[in-house]
Amino acid sequence: MAIELYKNDGDEVYKVKLTAPNDAECVIYTYGATVTSWKVQGKELLFVSKLAKLDGTKAIRGGIPIVFPQFGPGKLPQHGFARNTNWKVVDQDNKTGDMATVHFELTDSEATRASEWPYRFRLLYKVTLTGTTLSTIIEYENLDSSAFDFTTLMHTYFRTSDVAGVKVKGLDGIKYVDKILGQSDVVETRKDVIVDKNEDRVYVDVPGEVLVDGVGSEDGRVIVKRFNYKDIVFWNPWEEKAKEMSDFGDDEYKEMVCVEAGSVAKPVSLEPGSKWVGGQLLRLAPKA
Ligand SMILES: O=P(O)(O)OC[C@H]1O[C@H](O)[C@H](O)[C@@H](O)[C@@H]1O
């Protein structure tokens, strides 16, 4: 198990690479603490656009950007400030078992205190790689004298060899908000949710694990297990919306699907001095 820190000319860490047995690897940029690559048996399971900006000028289009403290549009810029702020590497561990772990920290700054979400806070983000899993867990802490609310999400972009073959399982019977049609409380009736058009849905209060079939290769299956995160967002821009994004190739909607674990339908409330933990564990499942 190795942990490599990559530094820029100013001697600051800009990228961390974790490796684990089974030819597993994971790369995280300190910008947004965005995971940009997760490989198992050498095979890439995450999508990053070939047009993604990796120079800190824009949130990274792909991988696992962190949405905090606001999902979607609102008082703050879309999806909040965590995905386009530099996080700090504060700890690392490759001595425990067959795993490698790195911890990132984000705290309030002059800029965040001057924003529409001015609270004092600390996020501690723990990324752990094993031979078949990637766990991404955040401890959210309120360091302010007032309570605050937030919404948060791991905006995971899964790589697909062909989006037409993707099936998302575990959403049957769950109520969702269709952000494209402007409908809420619609009930999902399909066992296999497929992607064949522009989709933007929030499945609310999903109780169990979700399985994404068709990740990395036709028969690659990834299980998404969540800790305290209640909802699952399901998104693909499809042809027309893809063309509207400057950092996304026109045809790349065929190579990805976003299945995003978070708490977004209802905000999380944190009292002064208290902590809350949320996150996900991605596991490459054995072939069916
Ligand atoms: O373009 P971005 O700000 O990265 O957002 C990309 C997408 O994120 C989520 O999936 C939202 O539900 C979508 O409404 C949004 O279009």
Side-chain angles (χ1 to χ4, degrees):
M1 284 64 59
I3 301 176
E4 288 168 74
L5 304 183
Y6 294 75
K7 293 186 175 176
N8 59 21
D9 295 343
D11 208 30
E12 285 159 348
V13 178
Y14 73 94
K15 192 167 99 173
V16 181
K17 190 188 205 175
L18 308 179
T19 47
N22 199 23
D23 213 356
E25 186 183 299
C26 154
V27 175
I28 312 113
Y29 275 69
T30 49
Y31 185 69
T34 310
V35 174
T36 55
S37 170
W38 173 39
K39 289 182 189 165
V40 176
Q41 289 169 345
K43 190 178 279 174
E44 184 59 65
L45 301 173
L46 296 179
F47 165 88
V48 175
S49 169
K50 57 181 192 253
L51 300 180
K53 299 272 184 219
L54 295 171
D55 59 359
T57 55
K58 195 175 193 321
I60 296 172
R61 175 69 65 197
I64 314 182
I66 294 169
V67 169
F68 173 87
Q70 169 198 295
F71 170 68
K75 286 190 193 166
L76 293 172
Q78 162 108 335
H79 293 338
F81 48 69
R83 66 175 180 165
N84 44 26
T85 307
N86 279 308
W87 294 51
K88 240 186 6 209
V89 175
V90 287
D91 201 4
Q92 47 183 299
D93 175 14
N94 60 354
K95 310 259 174 327
T96 315
D98 279 352
M99 52 176 81
T101 298
V102 58
H103 295 227
F104 298 86
E105 181 190 68
L106 181 71
T107 53
D108 53 275
S109 62
E110 231 172 90
T112 66
R113 289 191 296 275
S115 79
E116 291 292 326
W117 199 87
Y119 308 100
R120 290 186 183 258
F121 70 93
R122 176 173 185 247
L123 303 188
L124 189 63
Y125 184 35
K126 191 173 158 187
V127 179
T128 301
L129 180 76
T130 74
T132 51
T133 65
L134 174 69
S135 114
T136 54
I137 310 270
I138 301 179
E139 179 184 272
Y140 304 77
E141 186 175 7
N142 182 345
L143 299 177
D144 208 85
S145 50
S146 316
F148 61 60
D149 285 356
F150 62 91
T151 44
T152 187
L153 178 93
M154 293 187 177
H155 198 304
T156 309
Y157 288 73
F158 289 106
R159 170 164 292 283
T160 65
S161 56
D162 179 4
V163 78
V166 165
K167 294 182 199 120
V168 183
K169 298 170 190 279
L171 299 172
D172 191 13
I174 310 294
K175 280 190 184 160
Y176 64 89
V177 178
D178 190 320
K179 297 211 296 183
I180 306 224
L181 300 176
Q183 295 171 346
S184 49
D185 284 341
V186 193
V187 177
E188 181 57 74
T189 55
R190 296 168 297 174
K191 283 216 159 2
D192 293 340
V193 174
I194 57 160
V195 193
D196 58 1
K197 58 180 183 306
N198 177 206
E199 296 284 14
D200 193 357
R201 298 175 170 203
V202 180
Y203 286 88
V204 180
D205 263 333
V206 181
E209 290 175 357
V210 169
L211 187 143
V212 189
D213 198 345
V215 178
S217 56
E218 254 170 58
D219 54 358
R221 304 186 308 146
V222 172
I223 296 166
V224 182
K225 184 184 165 102
R226 286 158 300 132
F227 304 99
N228 290 330
Y229 283 169
K230 289 192 172 313
D231 312 313
I232 292 280
V233 176
F234 173 63
W235 180 66
N236 182 297
W238 215 247
E239 204 171 344
E240 220 172 283
K241 288 262 163 60
K243 288 196 179 121
E244 290 168 13
M245 289 189 279
S246 62
D247 57 350
F248 191 90
D250 288 358
D251 284 332
E252 285 186 318
Y253 68 92
K254 295 175 188 162
E255 295 167 35
M256 52 72 68
V257 63
C258 282
V259 177
E260 313 161 24
S263 276
V264 297
K266 269 198 216 112
V268 178
S269 298
L270 259 192
E271 292 300 318
S274 60
K275 292 178 184 172
W276 183 82
V277 174
Q280 70 182 10
L281 174 75
L282 306 180
R283 176 189 300 277
L284 185 68
K287 307 242 179 283

